[in-house]
Structures are given as structure tokens and as C-alpha cells.
Amino acid sequence: MTTDDVATEGTGGAARPAFDDLYRADWHPVVALGWTLTGSRAAAEELAQDAFLDAYRRWDHVGTL
């Protein structure tokens, strides 16, 4: 899933450039952490995807921290 897939949810794309920067900068480290914790690349990618989706949906709050 990409941020385009959820553009109508949460922020509606209003803060999308900031989220996209976060996603590009942190995708690999988040997947690496998940891989370390689970031992599975597939599970790690799914965990990262879920985490970023949750962050995107709550970006109005997360982006202000």
C-alpha cells in the first residue's frame, strides 16, 4: 500500500510532503528493526507498512510532535 492508496483517509493528503519525507527516510530502518525482532523479512515489511499506515492516518497529531 502506498500513501496514494490512503489519500482519502486521515489528512486527505494535506501534510503529505512531510509524511513522504519521513517514509523515505525511515522505511529501511523500521524494516530492519522489524526483521531483527521477527527474523522474517516479510513480517518486518508488514509491520512497517502497518506502522506507517497508522502514522499517516494520524498525521495531524503525529506530525505535530
Side-chain angles (χ1 to χ4, degrees), residues 14-48:
R16 185 164 167 191
F19 177 83
D20 287 351
D21 291 342
L22 173 77
Y23 180 86
R24 278 191 293 277
D26 291 333
W27 171 257
H28 292 290
V30 171
V31 170
L33 175 61
W35 195 351
T36 299
L37 295 172
T38 66
S40 166
R41 178 151 180 112
E45 289 180 351
E46 188 169 334
L47 288 170

Side-chain angles (χ1 to χ4, degrees), residues 41-62:
R41 178 151 180 112
E45 289 180 351
E46 188 169 334
L47 288 170
Q49 180 179 359
D50 289 346
F52 280 104
L53 180 58
D54 285 346
Y56 185 83
R57 287 180 175 158
R58 295 174 179 86
W59 191 250
D60 289 340
H61 176 71
V62 174

